[in-house]
Amino acid sequence: MFAFKALYFGIFVSLHYGVNVVLSTGPLSQFRVIRITPSDSSDVETLLALTKNANFDVWKWPSAGSPNMDVMLSREERRTFLPVLQTNGLQFHVMIKDVQRLIDVQRSSALKSRSRGVGEFEYFKYHTLDEIFAWMENITSVYKDRASLFNVTTSYEGRPLMGLKISNPSVGPADRPAFWIEGGIHAREWISPATVVFMAGQMLDLYKLDPELTAAVDKFDWYILPVTNPDGYSFTWKDDKSRLWRKTRSPQGKCIGVDPNRNWDLEWCKSGASKDPCSDTYCGPEAFSEPEVKGVSDFLQGLPNLKAFIDVHSYSQLWMSPWGYTKKLPENYKLQDGGSAVATDALEKMYGTKYEHGSIAGILYEASGSSADWVYGKLKVPFSYAVELRDTGKYGFLLPEDQILPTGHETLEAVRALVMYIYENIQYYNDL
Ligand SMILES: [Zn+2]
């Protein structure tokens, strides 16, 4: 067992640091995503034991709702690891045959988009951080009366965490509730910023044209942060080798980065997070070690009437509420999960995309130190969600651009239904 783990570590080092990897058509051309499909809970336990210290890239861990595990493996890793799975009676099949090809598709269309300039923002494309910032500056100058920029904080590498506030101060009471939506806390989940940007754009472009969106804008102050981890996001645009980066970019001894969704100060690093700085779920040297996470938490604490929070991820199609750190359910679970049910029903009506809903630990796995837990547990925000967007693994993090708009439209339907649900429930509690 020890030799097995040591071998993986050697492979990991050579892959992630680019040593001895010379491939003709791109660094990930020999990589496949393999789906392992445990048939019962003892299979899941075996699988978790086999992969506990493996250093290949896990795209999806087994969860309560879906025991499958997706792992990205080089040819060498497949030769070593797949026989181990077979020996242990674990079934598997290829989900993505050529990771590099999907990266090439995303990158070539993204490059075409950039060569055409950003005057007319193309919501159906993936965009760099600079392009997203340019869009934010542009759209807030067009809709000056109800949109403005805010700067949450500065990242480790010095980039702004720039957000978009949408609010119509001329309508409604001065103490309107605040609604926070953030994307891109995990760098490689590109569909997240793309969807958050799309939804903010629709809320501004369709104001006065779409009665429900108009009501949503009038009833809440919206704080929208498309890219919560700008260093990580920029890094995923650097080259193909960096495309699947997840964490922040702060140096952590021999490795880089902290998982910014395991770094929040509630039951920090107790479960579902790693103390190994090289792990993709590294919780950091201490809670709030990452300036991005600390900055967002400070900013949220300064929003006096924050009632709703959504942290947008991909992939798996899940709409989740606290707790993440334990399978126990919080006091107002039924109220929060009722919102998830309303949201996912509305989402499914659009194109038939099916989501599951429940608590984070209940349908995913125990994961402490997440933003949704902290916002609910520490700030007492009654509606706190973590959402995993499309898909269920056919493309995973490399979702093609032709799915951006459908994902945007259906997610906006979900948010639109959720807004009304939350507003009615806030009214109810205010009236008590
Ligand atoms: Zn994520």
Side-chain angles (χ1 to χ4, degrees):
M1 197 60 194
F2 179 75
F4 167 72
K5 287 172 191 168
L7 175 61
Y8 278 123
F9 186 68
I11 292 167
F12 168 76
V13 169
S14 70
L15 292 172
H16 284 256
Y17 296 92
V19 184
N20 297 329
V21 178
V22 183
L23 299 168
S24 53
T25 54
L28 296 176
S29 62
Q30 306 276 337
F31 283 72
R32 289 181 177 172
V33 175
I34 305 292
R35 171 160 291 180
I36 307 153
T37 50
S39 55
D40 55 29
S41 58
S42 98
D43 268 5
V44 172
E45 273 171 40
T46 306
L47 179 59
L48 290 177
L50 288 174
T51 53
K52 193 162 185 265
N53 293 313
N55 281 302
F56 45 69
D57 193 350
V58 176
W59 281 30
K60 179 192 169 296
W61 289 96
S63 61
S66 152
N68 301 334
M69 181 170 187
D70 296 347
V71 293
M72 183 173 79
L73 301 174
S74 67
R75 194 159 63 176
E76 292 78 6
E77 286 167 324
R78 293 198 295 278
R79 281 180 183 160
T80 320
F81 184 55
L82 298 186
V84 175
L85 291 178
Q86 268 164 337
T87 306
N88 284 278
L90 288 156
Q91 304 287 314
F92 57 87
H93 61 271
V94 176
M95 280 299 277
I96 297 176
K97 202 175 165 198
D98 187 346
V99 171
Q100 183 69 43
R101 195 184 65 78
L102 293 186
I103 291 179
D104 290 346
V105 169
Q106 272 195 337
R107 209 170 280 284
S108 65
S109 54
L111 283 171
K112 262 183 257 152
S113 149
R114 275 187 286 173
S115 67
R116 284 208 297 275
V118 291
E120 268 296 298
F121 190 80
E122 294 172 310
Y123 290 102
F124 52 91
K125 299 277 186 196
Y126 292 114
H127 291 279
T128 63
L129 185 69
D130 286 346
E131 288 166 352
I132 292 173
F133 284 172
W135 167 79
M136 288 167 76
E137 277 166 15
N138 187 35
I139 202 160
T140 48
S141 71
V142 172
Y143 298 115
K144 273 195 206 67
D145 53 336
R146 53 186 183 277
S148 57
L149 296 176
F150 62 91
N151 188 11
V152 175
T153 189
T154 304
S155 70
Y156 175 80
E157 291 178 338
R159 296 182 178 85
L161 271 72
M162 205 202 295
L164 186 66
K165 182 180 177 185
I166 301 176
S167 167
N168 188 352
S170 64
V171 180
D175 62 342
R176 274 189 304 284
F179 201 122
W180 178 277
I181 299 183
E182 67 181 30
I185 196 169
H186 287 144
R188 62 189 175 185
E189 300 166 4
W190 280 11
I191 190 61
S192 161
T195 301
V196 171
V197 159
F198 172 80
M199 293 196 295
Q202 293 280 289
M203 288 170 71
L204 289 168
D205 286 336
L206 298 183
Y207 189 75
K208 295 288 183 210
L209 298 173
D210 178 317
E212 277 182 17
L213 281 184
T214 307
V217 170
D218 289 345
K219 284 177 172 26
F220 288 84
D221 282 343
W222 293 82
Y223 293 86
I224 296 169
L225 180 62
V227 186
T228 309
N229 173 13
D231 295 349
Y233 187 70
S234 297
F235 189 65
T236 62
W237 280 83
K238 187 168 161 265
D239 55 35
D240 294 352
K241 271 210 313 279
S242 329
R243 172 64 189 86
L244 292 161
W245 188 257
R246 166 181 164 101
K247 300 189 285 180
T248 61
R249 293 293 300 161
S250 58
Q252 304 290 336
K254 64 182 164 71
C255 286
I256 289 181
V258 166
D259 183 340
N261 205 32
R262 299 288 185 281
N263 192 235
W264 297 69
D265 192 12
L266 189 133
E267 304 290 333
W268 173 75
C269 218
K270 294 248 171 83
S271 56
S274 172
K275 291 196 161 72
D276 172 6
C278 300
S279 163
D280 251 356
T281 55
Y282 177 45
C283 57
E286 60 194 348
F288 288 149
S289 61
E290 300 312 281
E292 300 84 358
V293 176
K294 178 76 171 70
V296 173
S297 73
D298 287 345
F299 194 92
L300 292 173
Q301 268 176 314
L303 294 176
N305 204 16
L306 183 63
K307 295 292 186 206
F309 172 94
I310 305 180
D311 187 20
V312 182
H313 296 254
S314 73
Y315 59 95
S316 283
Q317 295 174 194
L318 305 170
W319 204 286
M320 300 175 292
S321 52
W323 297 109
Y325 81 89
T326 173
K327 287 200 164 66
K328 276 189 266 166
L329 298 172
E331 210 178 308
N332 78 343
Y333 174 71
K334 275 192 179 157
L335 183 69
Q336 295 204 66
D337 190 57
S340 299
V342 163
T344 52
D345 282 353
L347 188 149
E348 187 180 342
K349 278 204 186 95
M350 191 113 199
Y351 304 113
T353 310
K354 288 198 186 322
Y355 270 56
E356 286 179 58
H357 61 89
S359 78
I360 299 167
I363 58 169
L364 200 58
Y365 36 72
E366 286 182 7
S368 62
S370 76
S371 61
D373 271 13
W374 185 84
V375 167
Y376 173 73
K378 288 283 164 83
L379 297 189
K380 313 292 180 208
V381 170
F383 298 92
S384 180
Y385 295 103
V387 173
E388 300 277 358
L389 299 177
R390 289 189 189 193
D391 56 8
T392 54
K394 184 175 180 196
Y395 298 102
F397 304 118
L398 301 171
L399 197 70
E401 288 187 324
D402 62 11
Q403 293 202 38
I404 295 176
L405 286 186
T407 305
H409 280 294
E410 69 190 8
T411 312
L412 184 61
E413 283 304 294
V415 170
R416 184 202 292 265
L418 181 63
V419 167
M420 292 308 150
Y421 174 88
I422 289 176
Y423 190 74
E424 282 161 20
N425 279 288
I426 291 172
Q427 289 302 103
Y428 173 73
Y429 284 99
N430 285 347
D431 291 345
L432 285 178

